[in-house]
Amino acid sequence: MIVSGGELDYPKERFFIPTDMDHRKEQLKFMDMELWYTEKQTPHFGITAKISRTLHHEKTTFQKIDVIETEQFGRMLVLDGMVMITDRDEFVYHEMLTHVGMNTHRSPKRVLVVGGGDGGAIREVLKHPSVEKAVLCEIDGRVIEVSREYFPEIAGALGDSRVEIRVEDGIKHIEAHPGEYDLILVDSTEPVGPAVGLFQKPFYQGIFDALRTGGVMVAQTESPWFNRDLIAQVYRDISDIFPVTRLYTASIPTYPSGLWSFTLGSKGPDPLEVPPERLRVPDTRYYSPELHQALFQLPRFVKELMVQKER
Amino acid sequence: MIVSGGELDYPKERFFIPTDMDHRKEQLKFMDMELWYTEKQTPHFGITAKISRTLHHEKTTFQKIDVIETEQFGRMLVLDGMVMITDRDEFVYHEMLTHVGMNTHRSPKRVLVVGGGDGGAIREVLKHPSVEKAVLCEIDGRVIEVSREYFPEIAGALGDSRVEIRVEDGIKHIEAHPGEYDLILVDSTEPVGPAVGLFQKPFYQGIFDALRTGGVMVAQTESPWFNRDLIAQVYRDISDIFPVTRLYTASIPTYPSGLWSFTLGSKGPDPLEVPPERLRVPDTRYYSPELHQALFQLPRFVKELMVQKER
C-alpha cells in the first residue's frame, strides 16, 4: 500500500506492508535512507525503483490507484500494485498496441479502446487521420480523472472532439454494439481483479461480433517469459474465432521481464501483407514501417507459443 | 555482499550491506521473512529475486564472485554485484552473442572469446562444424573454475578438445595475435572494473588487427534504455575502424531494462546480406534464420543511436 499525500512521513525504519493480493505484493520501504517502491511481478521476482514523491493514493470500487514519482522512469501510474504506465517508457506500449492494428486495417474510422483510462492508446489512435470516432470504454472513471491530473501529456488526447468516453464494463459495451467498430484495442490491466474476463474466449467472440467486415483487434497479452500458458491460451482462443491471428512483442522495461506480447486477430487483412506504402507512421519513437514488417519474426521460445487447434 | 556458505545464517532482520562500488549496490535482505537479492542496475532502479540458497562467495584479485540460487531464474552467477548469467535466460545472451557473427562469416575456423569465463559463448561457437579452434581468453581464472562447479551445463563445453583456455588479459592477447582469428566475441562484464578497456577504441582497433581477411567481431554493448551514450560511442568507434557495423538487440530479463544490445563489426561480410541457405542454426531456443534477417530492423529510439562520423 502506498500512503497518500504529497509529503512523505514514514518511520525511518524498515517499512513493509503486504496487501490483500496474494500473487503480488507492493512494498514501500527505506533502503539506505532512501524510499524505494518494489513490485513483485511474480511471487519470486520484481523490480524496485527509487521514489522521490508519492503523489496520489486512493482505493476505488475496482482497485487501488497510486501515482508515484520515480527518478528512473518519471511518474508511474500503479493499479493494484502493478505498474501500468511511466513517463519514460509508455510510448512503447501505446504505440505498439495501436499502430500495428491501425495499419493492418485499410482505413479505420471507428475505433474502440477497452480499458486504457490513461488515454495513451487514444492519443496514438488519433494520430491517424482516417479516424472519425474513438470510443474509450473504461470501467473505472477514477483512472481517467487521476490520469488527467497527473499525466496530462498522455491523457490530454481524451479532450479531442472525436473521443467519446464511456465509463462502463467493456464486456457489456461490446455486447451492446455489434458490427460497430473497425478496430478494437484491449488495453487491460493484468488478468486479476476487474480484467479477468478480458482474457477469456467469450470476450474475444464478442469483439469479433462487434467488428465490422475487415475489422481488426489487438490485445495486450502479457510476458512471453512469465505468462506462457496465458499467451498460448489466448492465441488458441483468438485463432479459433478469427481467420488471421498474429503475435508480436515489444521491449517495455517496467513490465515483467521487460518483454511484452500483443495478439492481433483480424477478420480479413493480414499485418504481414500490408504494402509498405500503406504503413502510415505518425510521429513515433518505437514503431516504424520497417519494424512492422520485421515484428512477426519471433524468437523461437516465443514462436512456440503459437499453436492453433486443428481445424 | 553475499555471505558465503551453503546454509544461510543471517539475523532475522533487515539486512543491508552497501559495497565498495558506488554506482551499484548489492543487497541481501529479508522481506517478509524471505531472503531476497536486489541488484541496483542503475542508482535509481533494480531487480529483486527471491533466493533459496547462497552457493558460493569469494573475492578474487579482479572481482567478487557469487553464485546464488533463485526461484525464478535458477542459479545466478553474480560478478561484482551484477547478474552475469542465470540458468533460465542465459541461452538468449549466448546464442545472440554468437550465432549472428558465426553466420555472417562464411566459414569461421578460428574463434576467440574475450571474457566469457562461464563457457556459454564457447558452447554456442562449438555448435558450428567449421570451427577448428576456439580460444577462451578470460582474465579471471576463478570465474572459469566456479562456472565449472556450479554451471556444468554451460561450462561443460570448455572441456572440448577444440578449446584452448588462456587465463590472461584479453587486450594483451589480441595485441600478441595479429591476423589470427576469423571471429572475435567480446563477452565482457559491464564497463566497470576489469572490463573498462574492453569498451574503448584502441581495443576495437586491436580486434581489427587480430582478425584475418573477412573477419567479424561482435561485442555485448549494454542496454539501449540505460546506456545510450555508451552504445552510440561504441557504434561510432567500431564504424570508424570496420567497413561494416551493425547493431541488434535481444530480450534478456535479468539484464538492466530487459533489452540488451550487441554491436557487430565486419572486415567484409554484411549480416544483412547472408543468403538464407547459409544461415546455419544448430539447436537454439532464441536465434533462427528468420530472426537473423529481422533483427536489424530496430525500434526508432534504438536506431537513432547509430550515428557514424562523416567519412
Side-chain angles (χ1 to χ4, degrees):
Chain A
M1 186 174 78
I2 294 172
V3 181
S4 63
E7 287 303 304
L8 292 169
D9 187 21
Y10 303 106
K12 297 278 184 294
E13 62 195 33
R14 181 165 171 275
F15 195 86
F16 175 83
I17 306 176
T19 71
D20 49 341
M21 300 179 59
D22 61 359
H23 82 299
R24 284 192 172 191
K25 286 176 184 164
E26 304 143 81
Q27 299 144 45
L28 194 64
K29 65 187 177 306
F30 281 91
M31 299 200 308
D32 214 14
M33 303 316 287
E34 295 169 350
L35 192 61
W36 287 67
Y37 170 72
T38 301
E39 177 189 338
K40 279 194 193 174
Q41 299 173 319
T42 77
H44 306 127
F45 192 74
I47 56 170
T48 187
K50 187 175 168 186
I51 296 178
S52 47
R53 275 199 300 168
T54 302
L55 296 166
H56 184 83
H57 170 74
E58 73 176 279
K59 190 159 179 162
T60 73
T61 315
F62 299 99
Q63 57 204 340
K64 280 178 291 136
I65 304 179
D66 293 288
V67 181
I68 55 181
E69 198 162 283
T70 68
E71 309 231 353
Q72 190 72 47
F73 286 101
R75 290 186 177 184
M76 274 186 182
L77 175 67
V78 181
L79 299 184
D80 273 347
M82 297 175 275
V83 176
M84 290 295 118
I85 57 171
T86 83
D87 282 343
R88 302 284 153 73
D89 68 353
E90 59 88 15
F91 71 95
V92 183
Y93 176 77
H94 291 129
E95 289 181 14
M96 295 306 282
L97 177 68
T98 303
H99 298 306
V100 178
M102 290 295 286
N103 278 346
T104 296
H105 192 282
R106 215 175 165 85
S107 178
K109 292 183 178 60
R110 295 178 65 86
V111 178
L112 169 67
V113 176
V114 176
D118 53 70
I122 291 285
R123 179 193 63 198
E124 297 302 316
V125 164
L126 294 177
K127 289 179 179 174
H128 292 258
S130 66
V131 174
E132 295 169 359
K133 187 170 187 183
V135 177
L136 179 78
C137 185
E138 163 66 57
I139 199 166
D140 190 346
R142 287 298 301 153
V143 174
I144 300 169
E145 289 154 29
V146 168
S147 299
R148 281 184 149 144
E149 182 170 355
Y150 294 103
F151 299 90
E153 288 181 13
I154 300 169
L158 294 176
D160 189 282
S161 62
R162 289 165 290 174
V163 176
E164 178 186 331
I165 297 176
R166 308 286 294 259
V167 179
E168 61 188 28
D169 183 343
I171 294 171
K172 287 180 187 153
H173 180 88
I174 275 169
E175 277 171 13
H177 295 81
E180 179 135 344
Y181 294 105
D182 296 314
L183 184 77
I184 297 177
L185 303 176
V186 185
D187 184 3
S188 66
T189 56
E190 307 197 23
V192 286
V196 169
L198 305 183
F199 290 84
Q200 292 172 350
K201 194 169 178 182
F203 179 60
Y204 302 130
Q205 182 63 55
I207 289 178
F208 185 90
D209 297 336
L211 286 169
R212 301 203 275 200
T213 306
V216 175
M217 70 157 283
V218 180
Q220 77 82 3
T221 45
E222 308 285 301
S223 161
W225 286 99
F226 294 156
N227 310 93
R228 296 176 65 76
D229 291 347
L230 179 133
I231 294 171
Q233 181 63 50
V234 167
Y235 188 88
R236 270 197 305 276
D237 288 347
I238 291 180
S239 63
D240 275 353
I241 298 167
F242 286 84
V244 177
T245 312
R246 301 286 174 207
L247 181 68
Y248 61 95
T249 62
S251 155
I252 307 176
T254 57
Y255 283 7
S257 86
L259 185 69
W260 213 243
S261 78
F262 301 88
T263 307
L264 180 149
S266 168
K267 288 182 128 171
D270 187 334
L272 289 173
E273 289 166 7
V274 183
E277 67 276 10
R278 284 232 337 267
L279 294 168
R280 303 153 295 228
V281 193
D283 177 27
T284 56
R285 292 169 60 203
Y286 195 96
Y287 180 82
S288 70
E290 301 75 29
L291 190 70
H292 179 111
Q293 297 185 301
L295 211 51
F296 303 93
Q297 302 302 340
L298 298 167
R300 281 192 166 163
F301 85 105
V302 183
K303 197 174 173 186
E304 69 195 24
L305 300 174
M306 297 189 290
V307 178
Q308 297 185 20
K309 275 194 196 136
E310 299 288 327
R311 280 176 190 258
Chain B
M1 186 174 79
I2 295 173
V3 181
S4 63
E7 286 305 302
L8 291 169
D9 187 20
Y10 301 106
K12 296 279 184 293
E13 60 193 36
R14 183 165 169 272
F15 194 85
F16 174 84
I17 306 175
T19 72
D20 48 341
M21 300 179 61
D22 61 1
H23 81 300
R24 285 192 173 193
K25 285 177 184 164
E26 302 145 83
Q27 298 145 46
L28 195 62
K29 64 188 178 303
F30 281 91
M31 298 200 307
D32 213 14
M33 302 317 287
E34 296 171 348
L35 193 61
W36 287 68
Y37 170 72
T38 301
E39 177 188 339
K40 279 194 194 175
Q41 299 173 320
T42 78
H44 306 127
F45 192 75
I47 55 170
T48 187
K50 187 174 169 188
I51 296 179
S52 46
R53 275 200 301 168
T54 302
L55 296 166
H56 185 82
H57 171 75
E58 73 176 280
K59 190 160 181 160
T60 73
T61 315
F62 300 98
Q63 58 204 338
K64 280 178 289 136
I65 303 179
D66 293 287
V67 181
I68 55 181
E69 199 163 283
T70 68
E71 309 231 353
Q72 190 74 47
F73 287 101
R75 290 187 177 184
M76 275 186 180
L77 176 67
V78 180
L79 299 183
D80 274 346
M82 297 174 277
V83 176
M84 290 293 117
I85 55 171
T86 83
D87 283 342
R88 302 283 154 73
D89 68 353
E90 59 87 15
F91 72 95
V92 182
Y93 176 77
H94 291 129
E95 289 180 15
M96 295 305 283
L97 177 68
T98 303
H99 299 305
V100 178
M102 291 295 286
N103 278 345
T104 297
H105 193 282
R106 214 176 165 83
S107 179
K109 292 183 177 61
R110 295 178 66 86
V111 178
L112 170 66
V113 175
V114 177
D118 53 71
I122 291 284
R123 179 193 63 197
E124 297 301 316
V125 164
L126 295 176
K127 289 179 178 173
H128 293 257
S130 66
V131 174
E132 295 169 0
K133 189 172 187 180
V135 178
L136 179 79
C137 185
E138 163 66 58
I139 201 168
D140 190 346
R142 287 298 300 154
V143 174
I144 300 169
E145 289 155 29
V146 168
S147 300
R148 281 183 149 145
E149 184 171 353
Y150 294 102
F151 299 90
E153 288 180 13
I154 300 169
L158 294 175
D160 189 283
S161 61
R162 290 165 289 175
V163 176
E164 179 186 330
I165 296 176
R166 309 286 295 259
V167 178
E168 62 188 27
D169 183 344
I171 295 172
K172 287 180 185 155
H173 179 87
I174 274 170
E175 277 171 11
H177 295 81
E180 181 136 343
Y181 294 105
D182 296 312
L183 184 76
I184 296 177
L185 303 176
V186 185
D187 184 3
S188 66
T189 56
E190 307 197 24
V192 288
V196 170
L198 305 183
F199 289 85
Q200 292 172 350
K201 195 169 179 181
F203 179 61
Y204 302 129
Q205 183 62 55
I207 288 178
F208 185 90
D209 297 337
L211 286 169
R212 301 203 276 200
T213 307
V216 175
M217 70 159 282
V218 180
Q220 75 83 1
T221 45
E222 307 285 302
S223 161
W225 287 98
F226 295 157
N227 311 94
R228 296 177 65 75
D229 291 347
L230 180 134
I231 294 172
Q233 181 63 49
V234 167
Y235 189 88
R236 270 196 306 275
D237 288 347
I238 291 181
S239 62
D240 276 354
I241 298 167
F242 286 83
V244 177
T245 312
R246 301 286 174 209
L247 181 68
Y248 61 95
T249 62
S251 156
I252 306 176
T254 57
Y255 284 7
S257 84
L259 184 69
W260 213 242
S261 78
F262 301 87
T263 307
L264 179 149
S266 169
K267 290 181 125 171
D270 187 334
L272 289 173
E273 289 166 8
V274 182
E277 67 277 11
R278 284 231 339 268
L279 293 168
R280 302 154 296 229
V281 192
D283 178 26
T284 56
R285 291 170 61 203
Y286 194 97
Y287 179 83
S288 70
E290 300 75 30
L291 190 70
H292 180 111
Q293 296 184 302
L295 211 51
F296 302 93
Q297 302 303 340
L298 298 168
R300 282 192 165 163
F301 85 105
V302 182
K303 197 174 175 187
E304 69 195 25
L305 300 174
M306 296 189 290
V307 180
Q308 297 186 20
K309 275 194 196 136
E310 300 287 328
R311 280 178 189 256

